[in-house]
């Protein structure tokens, strides 16, 4: 089951780190050995830091970044279903996944809904949950080596954190369907053309460029900045909550399917999966 209790982060289990500098909350994915692979624990820590940032008046903007050569390579497929949830029956297991995913959405909603604008600096692989996390930022800066994808359908599960919905919002429904139904990867230039990325820089200049933009935001009047963010989000995200509930149920059903077990196994063994629709 998911450990949702407490706000402590055990030493050695850090998945994210928060530093506060010059009006910026610098939130860093700090598990580069695993390419910052996402987990239930990562989500719990994101919620902890989002709550800290939300009420800290010294933080006027957030810089979301990652250590290592990848922003986030998605769920660790070496763990069964990325950390399987059990149940006494198929129905109970589906219910438990549904509640777990609703909990994830609540943490992500808190992060995306921070009053402070979020600038994401993305390098290398930005896949699955990593792509969905980046899409929650208000502004995205990518290095020229960045690669984006929602590969969930390739392992037999639905996109589970609303990344496909956010692509539909920003790039249109056709591109959301193409990317999420095929799982194909796109480079930074394509992401910029689709309006999923606002600026591309060389790898060596990524942090500087993202920090400069976050700094420009932080230098402006906080009440004006936060009001602008809320107004745009209210317009852009109309209907998002109801759609995310459907996403949670779709993901819960597919995560408990035989196809997802086959898909995770095939991905871990680097072979094609044989899906049977059950």
């Amino acid at each position: 089951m998911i450990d949702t209790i407490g706000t402590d982060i055990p030493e050695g289990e850090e998945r994210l780190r928060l530093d506060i500098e010059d009006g910026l909350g610098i939130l860093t994915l700090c598990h580069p050995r695993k390419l910052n692979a996402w987990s239930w624990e990562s989500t719990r820590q994101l919620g902890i830091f989002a709550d800290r940032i939300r009420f800290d008046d010294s933080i006027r903007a957030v810089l979301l970044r990652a250590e290592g050569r990848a922003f986030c390579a998605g769920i660790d497929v070496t763990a069964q279903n990325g950390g399987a949830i059990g149940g006494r029956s198929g129905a109970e297991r589906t219910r438990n996944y549904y509640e777990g995913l609703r909990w994830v959405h609540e943490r992500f909603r808190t992060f995306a809904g921070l009053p402070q604008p979020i600038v994401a600096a993305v390098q290398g692989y930005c896949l699955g949950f990593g792509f969905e996390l980046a899409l929650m930022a208000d502004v995205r800066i990518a290095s020229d080596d960045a690669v984006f994808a929602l590969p969930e359908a390739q392992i037999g599960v639905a996109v589970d954190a609303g990344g496909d919905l956010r692509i539909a919002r920003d790039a249109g429904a056709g591109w959301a369907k193409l990317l999420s139904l095929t799982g194909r990867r796109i480079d930074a230039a394509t992401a910029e053309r689709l309006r999923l990325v606002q600026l591309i820089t060389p790898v060596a200049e990524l942090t500087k460029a993202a920090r400069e933009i976050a700094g420009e935001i932080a230098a402006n009047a906080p009440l004006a900045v936060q009001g602008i963010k809320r107004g745009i989000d209210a317009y852009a995200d109309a209907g998002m909550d109801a759609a995310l509930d459907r996403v949670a149920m779709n993901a819960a059903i597919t995560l408990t399917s035989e196809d997802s077990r086959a898909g995770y196994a095939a991905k871990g063994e680097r072979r094609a999966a044989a899906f049977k629709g059950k």
Side-chain angles (χ1 to χ4, degrees):
M1 293 297 292
I2 307 167
D3 178 8
T4 63
I5 299 173
T7 59
D8 293 333
I9 299 175
E11 185 175 352
E13 296 298 320
E14 299 89 349
R15 296 294 179 268
L16 297 102
R17 181 181 70 248
L18 176 64
D19 300 292
I20 301 172
E21 302 174 9
D22 302 324
L24 299 181
I26 303 172
L27 189 61
T28 302
L29 280 65
C30 59
H31 197 44
R33 183 175 60 83
K34 283 279 192 177
L35 301 181
N36 298 309
W38 201 259
S39 64
W40 298 111
E41 177 60 18
S42 302
T43 298
R44 187 183 77 87
Q45 292 183 22
L46 180 70
I48 291 170
F49 285 122
D51 284 342
R52 291 179 186 174
I53 291 167
R54 182 179 184 178
F55 296 106
D56 191 333
D57 292 338
S58 72
I59 298 176
R60 295 193 172 191
V62 176
L63 174 59
L64 176 64
R65 60 176 299 275
E67 293 179 348
R69 61 189 178 91
F71 179 76
C72 173
I75 292 292
D76 182 2
V77 296
T78 62
Q80 178 62 30
N81 288 350
I85 291 179
R88 295 170 298 177
S89 66
E92 184 180 62
R93 189 165 174 249
T94 300
R95 191 281 310 273
N96 290 346
Y97 259 116
Y98 174 61
E99 289 303 323
L101 288 159
R102 290 182 65 228
W103 172 82
V104 169
H105 291 173
E106 289 163 7
R107 306 284 82 71
F108 279 5
R109 186 182 298 113
T110 298
F111 177 67
L114 283 172
Q116 301 95 331
I118 303 163
V119 177
V122 178
Q123 79 279 8
Y125 291 125
C126 184
L127 311 177
F129 253 101
F131 195 4
E132 298 188 87
L133 179 65
L135 287 165
M136 292 176 205
D138 301 290
V139 178
R140 289 169 290 280
I141 316 301
S143 63
D144 52 16
D145 74 337
V147 178
F148 302 87
L150 293 176
E152 284 85 347
Q154 295 177 345
I155 53 175
V157 298
V159 179
D160 46 11
D164 48 354
L165 306 181
R166 291 181 170 89
I167 293 173
R169 177 195 65 190
D170 293 345
W175 278 107
K177 291 174 182 177
L178 176 63
L179 296 180
S180 59
L181 294 176
T182 65
R184 69 167 53 184
R185 297 180 178 187
I186 59 173
D187 59 17
T190 303
E192 183 183 38
R193 180 165 60 85
L194 297 181
R195 299 176 299 196
L196 302 176
V197 163
Q198 282 67 59
L199 182 68
I200 299 174
T201 74
V203 176
E205 298 176 16
L206 175 64
T207 298
K208 178 183 177 184
R211 186 162 184 149
E212 283 180 354
I213 290 176
E216 289 179 33
I217 295 170
N220 290 331
L223 296 179
V225 164
Q226 294 174 19
I228 289 167
K229 173 175 175 172
R230 280 193 297 270
I232 294 172
D233 284 349
Y235 169 76
D237 292 339
M240 183 68 76
D241 286 348
L244 282 172
D245 188 72
R246 184 182 294 269
V247 164
M249 180 52 71
N250 291 341
I253 291 169
T254 56
L255 281 163
T256 55
S257 69
E258 292 184 20
D259 275 354
S260 73
R261 289 196 293 273
Y264 273 94
K267 193 73 171 179
E269 296 168 10
R270 299 177 182 267
R271 58 175 174 80
F275 296 123
K276 298 181 180 178
K278 60 180 182 177

